[in-house]
């Protein structure tokens, strides 16, 4: 066998769909990682941040004399010292022209708006010396009243930022009647009050803390022609832009590198005060500096997620066919409008209607400021909140009608033969098959058998009741279409870039603008390129996360990496093939029109003549025998901007056992069947799904950030913030159906957030289903044993009330908020 034949045989086995072990894992599991905190530079200093203990205060004075005199200290810097060079934390998504946005300085100068805000920075020869000296900085505060409750913030009696005159940041609405995608929601609800069903419920999305493995860390070297920043970030390109836009440094003089990043879940898509403060001190001193946060700093000052009150009004006919949905949403932004924080609730606007065919829809959002840590994207970003609400509500509708919750979903969902389908929210879903995913999930779950067991337990008054939870969800993935983002006032594009370099030795370099933090991009991209170019998987090297190596990109978030970035790689590979065809035709003495490319070999139609891609690459590199006018390169760049989002979906089924005497819950079984389009690497997908499931389940059962009355985070460590471990979970049953996306050539849809979006309502639905016969229709998350037990006892004492006392309604005086459960004239 010739070398050409041998390479073609190696490349003949398709890589796409193969369960490859990740290329990245070898260095990760053997400790040869490149974490930011591993970086050591000659003469490097270490930083510690002095943080406000108060949720709201003015800064009267800062005395740094004692700290400056401490052993090993090189300098102590206040906001006043850094104000001319420190820049500002910007928001990239002002959701309305009227949005009120307070200045967010990296190091506060005169005013702090949440506990944990930075007021001074200490630079010392060691991290320990810096932390010790930070305790010696004497700050005199004048404490101000703090607003810590979202509903209290709506009253404007206490202001998080007095200079704004209100706690309202922005108001935003999507109305189906106004945009022509549906009817008038108020008319539909009024009609249902007369002759159908109207259900009103209020749900709470508690505040969560992204608990990534690696704390945030930043190293800055200002000593060369460029300023180089290493950061544990998801967004090196965005970070470089924000630095240039706010500090005056030319963008060409800034290099940002995201080395190995130990998880993010949205928690590292921020441009942080710590990054800007580290840069400012490095420039001030002219020396390399490093800052690595402690875990408690991560929890108190890294951005949080969720934190919403959702009021929903659903109208339906008496048989359960839904007709209208109205959403009134209150979102807590915390102390500041984060990078995309104000837009996160907006993302949910197109997902509250989910997979269901409503005739009318209205979404009303008000964003508020409070004196708590700022809120931004957390895994799912707006989509989990919406999915939770509608899936909980569909269970409530089933209870009203008196049918199985699965039946009410089947009655209302988009059927597979209706795709592409434009929803009442105006979003066009291109493909899907909810019936197929559900049928497979029910079979794996043993749905009918578990329902029969549930019935037996209820009839026997078993103290341990069984509940079955359903979540049939979809989400909008691949955050990208630049025109759509522009229409929503988003401050950046959504395109993605990739380059492919064909090296003379037959290997391939792939440069991608997305920046991974654990997803396996190096492996998946290698599989895509190996298939496209017909080269061995091992011959592909993927480069990323360095703005000098990969100068163009929009980074990683919103399940966009494969859907947008992967397609950019495909298009770059297609360009390589087309350029290589010209060279191959010349070398084979044939017309370009007669050249065909298959399994890594360029052949002449109707002959056995052929030449491999690596052979074309080296011939191009030498330049000895090229067609006239052809440059010696078959390298290619591509940028992809899709026409629409992608829409993965799935059916998740959960069985929970609830001890009615103690409120203790136990997961019995969990099955999910996801449709994420084409699967590149099943092993990676399995890991993504499992990780997402645990995060979503954790919101349902364990996690929640809590503040005391003074605004101090009382869940500031893993002693109090109950993060689950593997011992707290069960083995999940996962499977897939495939309906490829039509918006990219790979047919991929995205998987990074699916498990986290779908699992939370599945678990809570199961718990409520187990105890609904006691009059319980909701339990606030996390569903701790105490809360479950109290809900059961309340339901037993006041039939039909359930957890109503634990679900305070929107306060009087808040616009568009009327208390109530099921309306008069309904079947409640």
């Amino acid at each position: 066998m010739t070398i050409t034949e041998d390479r073609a045989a190696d490349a003949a086995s398709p890589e796409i769909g193969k369960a490859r072990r990740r290329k990245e894992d070898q260095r990760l599991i053997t400790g040869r990682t490149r974490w930011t905190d591993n970086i050591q530079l000659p003469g490097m200093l270490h930083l510690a941040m002095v943080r406000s203990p108060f949720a709201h205060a003015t800064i009267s004075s800062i005395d740094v004399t004692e700290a400056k005199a401490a052993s090993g200290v090189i300098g102590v810097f206040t906001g006043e010292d850094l104000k001319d060079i420190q820049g500002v934390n910007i928001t990239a998504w002002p959701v309305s022209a009227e949005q009120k946005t307070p200045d967010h300085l990296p190091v506060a100068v005169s005013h702090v708006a949440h506990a944990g805000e930075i007021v001074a920075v200490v630079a010392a020869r060691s991290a320990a010396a810096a932390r010790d000296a930070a305790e010696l900085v004497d700050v005199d505060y004048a404490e101000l009243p703090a607003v810590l409750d979202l509903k209290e913030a709506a009253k404007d009696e206490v202001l998080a930022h007095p200079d704004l005159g209100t706690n309202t940041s922005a108001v935003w609405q999507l109305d189906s009647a106004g945009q022509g995608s549906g009817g008038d929601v108020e008319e539909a609800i009024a009609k249902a009050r007369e002759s159908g069903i109207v259900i009103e419920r209020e749900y709470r999305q508690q505040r969560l803390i992204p608990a990534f493995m690696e704390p945030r860390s930043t190293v800055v070297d200002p000593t060369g022609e460029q300023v180089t920043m290493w950061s544990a970030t998801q967004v090196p390109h965005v970070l470089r832009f924000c630095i240039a836009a706010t500090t005056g440094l030319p963008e060409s003089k800034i290099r940002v590198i995201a080395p190995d990043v130990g998880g993010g879940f949205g928690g590292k898509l921020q441009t942080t005060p710590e990054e800007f403060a580290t840069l400012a001190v490095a420039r001030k001193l002219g020396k390399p500096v490093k800052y690595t946060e402690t875990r408690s700093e991560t929890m108190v000052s890294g951005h949080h997620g969720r934190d919403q009150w959702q009021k929903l009004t659903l109208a339906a006919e008496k048989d359960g066919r839904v007709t209208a949905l109205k959403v009134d949403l209150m979102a807590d932004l915390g102390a500041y409008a984060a990078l995309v924080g104000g837009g996160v609730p907006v993302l949910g606007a197109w997902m509250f209607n989910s997979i269901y065919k409503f005739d009318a829809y209205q979404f009303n959002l008000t964003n508020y400021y409070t004196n708590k840590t700022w809120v931004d994207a957390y895994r799912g970003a707006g989509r989990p909140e919406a999915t939770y609400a509608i899936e909980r509500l569909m269970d409530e509708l089933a209870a009203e009608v008196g049918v199985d919750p699965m039946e009410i979903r089947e009655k209302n969902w988009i059927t597979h033969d209706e795709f592409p389908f434009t929803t009442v929210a105006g979003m066009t879903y291109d493909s899907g098959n909810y019936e197929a995913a559900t049928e497979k999930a029910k079979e794996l779950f043993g749905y009918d058998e578990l329902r029969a067991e549930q019935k037996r337990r209820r009839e026997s008054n078993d103290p341990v009741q069984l509940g079955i939870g359903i979540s049939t969800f979809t989400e909008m993935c691949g955050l990208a279409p630049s025109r759509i983002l522009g229409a929503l006032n988003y401050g950046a594009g959504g395109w993605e870039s990739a380059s492919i370099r064909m090296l003379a030795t037959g290997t391939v370099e792939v440069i991608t603008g997305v920046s991974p933090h654990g997803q396996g991009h190096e492996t998946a991209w290698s599989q895509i390129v190996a298939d496209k170019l017909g080269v061995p998987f091992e011959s592909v090297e993927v480069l990323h996360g360095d703005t000098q190596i990969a100068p163009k990109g929009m980074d990683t978030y919103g399940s966009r990496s494969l859907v947008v970035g992967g397609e950019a790689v495909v298009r770059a590979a297609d360009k390589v093939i087309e350029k290589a065809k010209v060279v191959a035709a010349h070398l084979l003495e044939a017309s370009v029109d007669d050249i065909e490319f298959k399994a890594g070999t360029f052949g002449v139609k109707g002959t056995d003549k052929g030449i491999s891609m690596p052979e074309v690459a080296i011939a191009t590199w030498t330049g000895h025998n090229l067609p006239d006018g052809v440059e010696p390169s078959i390298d290619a760049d591509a940028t992809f901007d899709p026409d629409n989002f992608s829409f993965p979906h799935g059916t998740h089924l959960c069985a929970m056992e609830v001890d009615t005497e103690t409120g203790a819950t136990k997961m019995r079984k969990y099955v999910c069947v996801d449709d994420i389009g084409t699967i590149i690497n099943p092993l990676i997908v399995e890991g993504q799904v499992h990780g997402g499931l645990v995060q979503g389940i954790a919101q349902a059962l364990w996690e929640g950030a809590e503040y005391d009355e003074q605004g101090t985070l009382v869940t500031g460590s893993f002693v109090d913030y109950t993060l689950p471990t593997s011992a707290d979970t069960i083995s999940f049953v996962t499977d897939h159906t495939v309906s490829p996306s039509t918006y990219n050539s790979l047919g991929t849809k995205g998987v990074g957030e699916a498990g986290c979006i779908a699992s939370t309502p599945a678990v809570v639905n199961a718990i409520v289903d187990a105890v609904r016969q006691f009059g319980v229709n909701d339990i606030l998350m996390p569903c701790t044993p105490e809360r479950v037990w109290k809900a059961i006892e309340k339901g037993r004492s006041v039939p039909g009330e359930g957890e109503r006392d634990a679900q305070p309604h929107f306060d009087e005086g808040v616009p568009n908020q009327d208390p109530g459960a099921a309306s008069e004239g309904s079947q409640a």
Side-chain angles (χ1 to χ4, degrees):
M1 182 180 286
T2 66
I3 292 176
T4 300
E5 291 170 333
D6 184 49
R7 283 174 172 163
D10 288 342
S13 176
E15 284 291 338
I16 292 177
K18 186 178 290 186
R20 283 276 191 182
R21 291 189 177 183
R22 300 195 318 173
K23 285 185 173 184
E24 302 91 327
D25 287 347
Q26 181 64 27
R27 71 173 183 270
L28 294 174
I29 64 178
T30 57
R32 294 196 296 272
T33 51
R34 298 169 297 189
W35 310 122
T36 302
D37 193 45
N38 293 152
I39 294 168
Q40 301 293 330
L41 301 176
M44 186 173 70
L45 303 175
H46 298 264
L47 304 185
M49 305 296 168
V50 181
R51 299 182 182 275
S52 168
F54 298 109
H56 196 199
T58 56
I59 301 171
S60 302
S61 65
I62 302 179
D63 186 349
V64 301
T65 306
E66 192 174 353
K68 276 187 174 181
S71 175
V73 171
I74 302 300
V76 181
F77 304 92
T78 66
E80 187 68 32
D81 298 326
L82 302 174
K83 66 180 182 181
D84 293 333
I85 61 170
Q86 69 171 333
V88 64
N89 293 281
I90 64 174
T91 177
W93 198 344
V95 299
S96 73
E98 296 77 27
Q99 175 172 306
K100 293 184 180 296
T101 307
D103 289 338
H104 187 186
L105 300 177
V107 182
V109 174
S110 60
H111 173 257
V112 292
H114 70 93
E117 190 162 355
I118 303 169
V119 297
V121 186
V122 177
R125 298 193 184 280
S126 70
R131 287 195 294 269
D132 288 345
E135 296 182 5
L136 302 177
V137 176
D138 185 12
V139 186
D140 185 18
Y141 298 94
E143 191 173 1
L144 297 172
V147 57
L148 303 166
D149 180 83
L150 180 53
K151 294 181 180 181
E152 290 299 314
K155 298 176 182 179
D156 277 346
E157 293 175 357
V158 177
L159 300 180
H161 296 276
D163 58 310
L164 296 183
T166 179
N167 290 320
T168 299
S169 172
V171 177
W172 190 90
Q173 183 186 76
L174 186 154
D175 189 279
S176 65
Q179 67 178 17
S181 57
D184 184 277
V185 73
E186 298 295 352
E187 288 182 7
I189 292 171
K191 181 179 179 181
R193 291 191 192 279
E194 294 177 357
S195 59
I197 299 170
V198 175
I199 299 174
E200 294 179 281
R201 294 288 186 269
E202 186 177 12
Y203 297 121
R204 173 71 169 141
Q205 283 283 321
Q206 78 270 40
R207 179 175 281 244
L208 302 175
I209 301 176
F212 31 71
M213 289 186 295
E214 176 205 19
R216 298 173 304 164
S217 182
T218 303
V219 173
V220 176
D221 184 358
T223 59
E225 290 296 315
Q226 284 183 314
V227 172
T228 301
M229 175 185 286
W230 292 262
S231 182
T233 181
Q234 298 174 218
V235 289
H237 297 91
V238 173
L239 177 56
R240 178 180 65 170
F241 170 82
C242 290
I243 290 170
T246 66
T247 66
L249 281 171
E251 191 170 358
S252 62
K253 297 296 184 182
I254 304 166
R255 181 183 185 184
V256 176
I257 303 170
D260 289 322
V261 177
F265 315 119
K268 291 177 183 172
L269 67 66
Q270 200 57 251
T271 57
T272 70
E274 291 82 1
E275 287 164 331
F276 281 90
T278 303
L279 172 65
V281 172
R283 293 175 66 192
K284 199 82 170 176
L285 293 174
K287 295 179 180 294
V289 297
K290 177 195 288 185
Y291 168 74
T292 300
E293 66 188 2
T294 64
R295 180 61 66 178
S296 60
E297 285 181 297
T298 299
M299 303 187 84
V300 75
S301 63
H303 81 248
H304 295 172
R306 313 284 195 255
D307 207 344
Q308 298 178 357
W309 277 104
Q310 309 163 317
K311 181 185 176 185
L312 292 96
T313 305
L314 182 143
E317 296 176 351
K318 287 187 176 181
D319 66 354
R321 189 187 79 81
V322 297
T323 57
L325 179 66
K326 182 180 179 182
V327 178
D328 291 304
L329 187 67
M330 302 173 71
D332 188 346
L333 301 186
Y336 296 103
L339 190 66
V340 295
V344 166
V346 172
L347 287 174
W350 292 276
M351 289 290 103
F352 274 92
N353 55 284
S354 189
I355 66 174
Y356 307 113
K357 295 182 285 189
F358 289 94
D359 301 325
Y361 173 63
Q362 187 181 89
F363 173 88
N364 304 295
L365 165 68
T366 308
N367 287 333
Y368 295 97
Y369 295 115
T370 61
N371 294 117
K372 294 186 288 188
T373 301
W374 42 330
V375 172
D376 208 325
Y378 176 64
R379 197 172 191 171
R383 282 76 51 82
E385 298 92 314
T387 300
Y388 178 84
I390 188 60
E391 288 303 292
R392 290 286 298 111
L393 204 56
M394 294 305 285
D395 265 31
E396 294 301 294
L397 177 59
E400 292 284 342
V401 178
V403 298
D404 187 288
M406 189 64 81
E407 182 180 330
I408 212 74
R409 288 166 168 83
E410 293 170 346
K411 179 185 288 290
N412 288 291
W413 67 32
I414 304 158
T415 59
H416 71 278
D417 56 356
E418 293 179 288
F419 288 97
F421 185 91
T422 300
T423 73
V424 71
M427 193 69 73
T428 300
Y429 299 169
D430 61 327
S431 66
N433 192 326
Y434 310 137
E435 302 98 310
T438 300
E439 189 60 35
K440 181 177 280 192
K442 288 174 68 176
E443 181 180 348
L444 292 170
F445 190 66
Y447 189 86
D448 294 337
E449 293 83 351
L450 284 168
R451 282 293 185 201
E453 180 185 340
Q454 180 187 52
K455 182 179 179 182
R456 291 194 299 271
R457 289 197 186 197
R458 286 183 177 176
E459 290 173 347
S460 66
N461 292 318
D462 192 320
V464 179
Q465 289 290 306
L466 179 67
I468 296 172
I470 303 169
S471 177
T472 50
F473 84 106
T474 190
E475 59 159 322
M476 49 191 283
C477 273
L479 188 67
S482 295
R483 290 183 179 181
I484 295 177
L485 295 177
L488 294 174
N489 209 33
Y490 185 73
W495 52 265
E496 197 46 76
S497 179
S499 301
I500 293 180
R501 300 172 185 158
M502 305 300 298
L503 305 183
T505 53
T507 56
V508 183
E509 282 184 347
V510 179
I511 299 93
T512 178
V514 294
S515 185
H517 45 281
Q519 297 92 333
H521 292 176
E522 293 176 29
T523 304
W525 274 226
S526 294
Q527 291 179 266
I528 293 169
V529 171
D531 265 7
K532 290 293 293 183
L533 299 184
V535 298
F537 169 80
E538 295 78 12
S539 296
V540 183
E541 183 77 13
V542 179
L543 307 176
H544 56 78
D546 184 334
T547 61
Q548 190 153 292
I549 293 172
K552 294 188 295 183
M554 286 293 177
D555 304 318
T556 298
Y557 40 84
S559 297
R560 70 186 302 274
S561 294
L562 180 59
V563 176
V564 190
E567 181 66 15
V569 170
V570 169
R571 295 186 177 212
D574 287 339
K575 289 183 178 181
V576 167
I577 293 168
E578 291 305 308
K579 293 175 75 172
K581 272 186 180 181
V582 176
V583 178
H586 179 75
L587 296 174
L588 295 170
E589 299 180 336
S591 167
V592 173
D593 294 337
D594 291 332
I595 298 295
E596 56 185 5
F597 181 69
K598 185 178 180 180
T601 298
F602 296 93
V604 182
K605 296 175 184 176
T607 75
D608 60 358
K609 294 173 63 177
I611 185 171
S612 72
M613 177 65 82
E615 288 170 327
V616 173
I618 194 167
T620 305
W621 178 75
T622 62
H624 295 165
N625 184 17
L626 296 178
D628 292 342
V630 172
E631 62 183 14
S633 170
I634 56 173
D635 299 347
D637 304 327
T639 300
F640 175 59
D641 196 350
D643 295 328
N644 201 354
F645 301 95
S646 62
F647 301 96
H649 69 83
T651 297
H652 289 226
L653 301 173
C654 176
M656 295 289 294
E657 292 181 338
V658 179
D659 188 326
T660 61
E661 296 176 346
T662 67
T665 61
K666 179 181 179 181
M667 187 171 290
R668 165 89 168 270
K669 192 171 187 178
Y670 197 103
V671 170
C672 65
V673 175
D674 289 301
D675 188 330
I676 60 169
T678 303
I679 295 174
I680 304 300
N681 186 317
L683 194 63
I684 291 176
V685 166
E686 186 81 357
Q688 288 274 25
V689 170
H690 276 246
L693 290 177
V694 173
Q695 278 187 276
I697 293 167
Q699 179 177 5
L701 297 179
W702 299 297
E703 292 188 40
E706 300 290 342
Y707 286 81
D708 65 17
E709 293 180 355
Q710 286 72 46
T712 301
L713 182 70
V714 296
T715 52
S717 76
F718 288 148
V719 173
D720 302 297
Y721 188 84
T722 48
L723 195 72
T725 69
S726 58
D728 298 305
T729 62
I730 65 170
S731 294
F732 310 119
V733 178
T734 66
D735 209 333
H736 304 278
T737 56
V738 178
S739 54
S741 171
T742 64
Y743 293 128
N744 62 78
S745 65
L746 287 170
T748 57
K749 291 186 175 182
V751 69
E753 297 162 304
C756 192
I757 291 171
S759 57
T760 309
V763 173
V764 177
N765 277 342
I767 294 171
V768 173
D769 185 57
V771 297
R772 189 179 288 277
Q773 69 271 29
F774 301 114
V776 178
N777 63 18
D778 193 34
I779 301 169
L780 287 175
M781 296 187 292
C783 298
T784 61
E786 180 184 15
R787 283 181 170 171
V788 174
W789 180 82
K790 284 183 175 180
I792 295 169
E793 292 303 301
K794 176 66 175 177
R796 281 171 168 161
S797 63
V798 185
E801 287 298 312
E803 178 79 344
R804 280 296 161 208
D805 65 328
Q807 270 219 101
H809 289 285
F810 284 31
D811 293 317
E812 293 181 4
V814 181
N816 302 318
Q817 312 297 346
D818 295 321
S823 74
E824 185 177 338
S826 77
Q827 294 184 1

